[in-house]
């Protein structure tokens, strides 16, 4: 698919997040029952980030994961990248409150073409955003490109539960109830209807693991699912012997 064909989705997603930026964190807590915080904390532990490690958080949104990485790394360079200026504005306010303004760099940019040289970071993460990008393979390849050989590419994302009864309940909540929660707390219905729509064509956790191995070229791809497959963590490594570019 050409870049021109990707533009309609990219433009729609950009409008969605520009509108909901101020309410994003509050509604996220409500619709996930605050579980997203536990999943992210678990992921940080599984990543084994060492003091001084460098990382880029792609589609950083309001910056929660980038902030967690900065606190864990301590002195390493941490970058949070997002295409939404309004989301980054919320992230900057958090940095000021946390006193991390000089340790975490926020960049407005395109996940499909990261503005960093090859082999720049120890880790590249993307949280609850891979299903929103125009081309997930391209984004994962870019994340792989900018990590050092042996570095980690990490995705924490919604997935699709496979157990029949639970699957039915999940889709009832996700497709019918969630948009109305968004409407009640933010005044936006169509923007929150996008969230279940974004999952329709997104691969399940098994297929995403295959894509990371076979199409992106990552090694040692590990998968952890949460709450019956509602969310999935994928961690893969860039081959040590690989030289990009």
């Amino acid at each position: 698919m050409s870049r021109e064909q990707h533009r309609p989705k990219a433009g729609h997603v950009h409008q969605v997040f520009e509108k909901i930026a101020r309410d994003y964190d509050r509604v996220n807590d409500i619709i996930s029952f605050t579980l997203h915080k536990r999943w992210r904390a678990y992921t940080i532990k599984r990543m084994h980030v060492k003091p001084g490690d460098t990382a880029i958080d792609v589609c950083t949104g309001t910056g929660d994961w980038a902030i967690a990485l900065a606190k864990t790394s301590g002195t390493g360079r941490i970058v949070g990248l997002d295409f939404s200026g309004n989301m980054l504005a919320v992230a900057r306010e958090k940095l000021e409150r946390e006193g991390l303004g000089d340790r975490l760099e926020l960049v407005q940019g395109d996940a499909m073409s990261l503005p960093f040289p090859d082999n720049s970071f120890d880790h590249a993460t993307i949280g609850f955003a891979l299903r929103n990008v125009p081309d997930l393979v391209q984004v994962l390849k870019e994340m792989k490109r900018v990590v050092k050989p042996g570095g980690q590419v990490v995705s924490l994302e919604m997935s699709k539960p496979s157990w029949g009864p639970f699957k039915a309940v999940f889709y009832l909540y996700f497709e019918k109830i969630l948009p109305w929660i968004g409407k009640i707390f933010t005044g936006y219905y169509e923007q929150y209807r996008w969230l279940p729509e974004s999952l329709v064509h997104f691969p399940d956790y098994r297929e995403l693991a295959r894509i990371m191995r076979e199409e992106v070229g990552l090694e040692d791809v590990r998968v952890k699912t949460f709450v019956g497959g509602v969310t999935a963590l994928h961690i893969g490594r860039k081959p040590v012997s690989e030289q990009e570019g």
Side-chain angles (χ1 to χ4, degrees):
M1 188 178 288
S2 68
R3 185 171 291 271
E4 287 70 24
Q5 289 172 301
H6 287 314
R7 283 175 181 163
K9 179 177 180 179
H12 176 67
V13 174
H14 184 266
Q15 291 177 0
V16 168
F17 285 99
E18 286 286 275
K19 287 184 177 180
I20 68 175
R22 286 289 160 186
D23 299 297
Y24 180 81
D25 289 332
R26 180 165 58 101
V27 177
N28 251 14
D29 285 348
I30 294 168
I31 63 178
S32 75
F33 308 101
T34 71
L35 287 172
H36 69 101
K37 295 179 179 179
R38 296 183 187 180
W39 297 331
R40 189 179 292 110
Y42 175 88
T43 300
I44 290 286
K45 290 181 180 179
R46 282 287 299 272
M47 288 174 63
H48 301 294
V49 177
K50 300 185 295 295
D53 275 4
T54 58
I56 178 170
D57 184 38
V58 178
C59 303
T60 196
T62 60
D64 283 346
W65 202 343
I67 289 170
L69 287 166
K71 289 180 177 180
T72 306
S73 169
T75 58
R77 181 193 185 195
I78 308 297
V79 174
L81 177 139
D82 203 277
F83 69 166
S84 169
N86 288 348
M87 296 287 274
L88 289 174
V90 176
R92 288 190 183 93
E93 293 172 5
K94 290 182 180 179
L95 294 191
E96 292 178 7
R97 291 197 298 269
E98 296 281 352
L100 295 171
D102 58 343
R103 291 167 49 196
L104 201 167
E105 177 185 358
L106 295 176
V107 175
Q108 189 165 5
D110 185 359
M112 300 272 286
S113 181
L114 298 176
F116 299 98
D118 300 351
N119 310 323
S120 295
F121 302 96
D122 296 303
H123 315 276
T125 61
I126 184 166
F128 302 105
L130 193 60
R131 70 187 186 281
N132 293 322
V133 301
D135 185 335
L136 68 90
V137 173
Q138 173 63 20
V139 169
L140 289 170
K141 284 182 176 179
E142 276 293 279
M143 293 170 68
K144 176 191 169 193
R145 179 183 66 79
V146 300
V147 297
K148 302 170 185 176
Q152 294 187 114
V153 172
V154 182
S155 169
L156 181 63
E157 184 55 276
M158 300 297 298
S159 191
K160 300 173 182 179
S162 56
W163 184 52
F166 183 70
K167 183 177 180 179
V169 172
F170 168 74
Y171 279 106
L172 173 65
Y173 172 74
F174 205 53
E175 294 178 357
K176 304 298 183 183
I177 300 174
L178 185 151
W180 282 106
I181 294 175
K183 172 71 173 177
I184 291 167
F185 286 95
T186 71
Y188 295 118
Y189 178 83
E190 293 298 325
Q191 285 72 20
Y192 279 92
R193 194 174 72 171
W194 162 255
L195 297 179
E197 289 176 354
S198 68
L199 194 60
V200 171
H201 301 294
F202 190 73
D204 65 18
Y205 65 90
R206 296 182 185 89
E207 175 63 8
L208 182 56
R210 184 201 66 78
I211 289 170
M212 291 177 74
R213 287 191 299 266
E214 298 179 12
E215 299 185 36
V216 181
L218 294 167
E219 294 181 338
D220 188 27
V221 176
R222 291 160 287 158
V223 182
K224 166 71 176 177
T225 60
F226 304 93
V227 194
V230 167
T231 300
L233 166 64
H234 292 72
I235 302 177
R237 289 192 177 275
K238 180 174 178 175
V240 173
S241 59
E242 184 169 329
Q243 298 295 321
E244 295 284 356

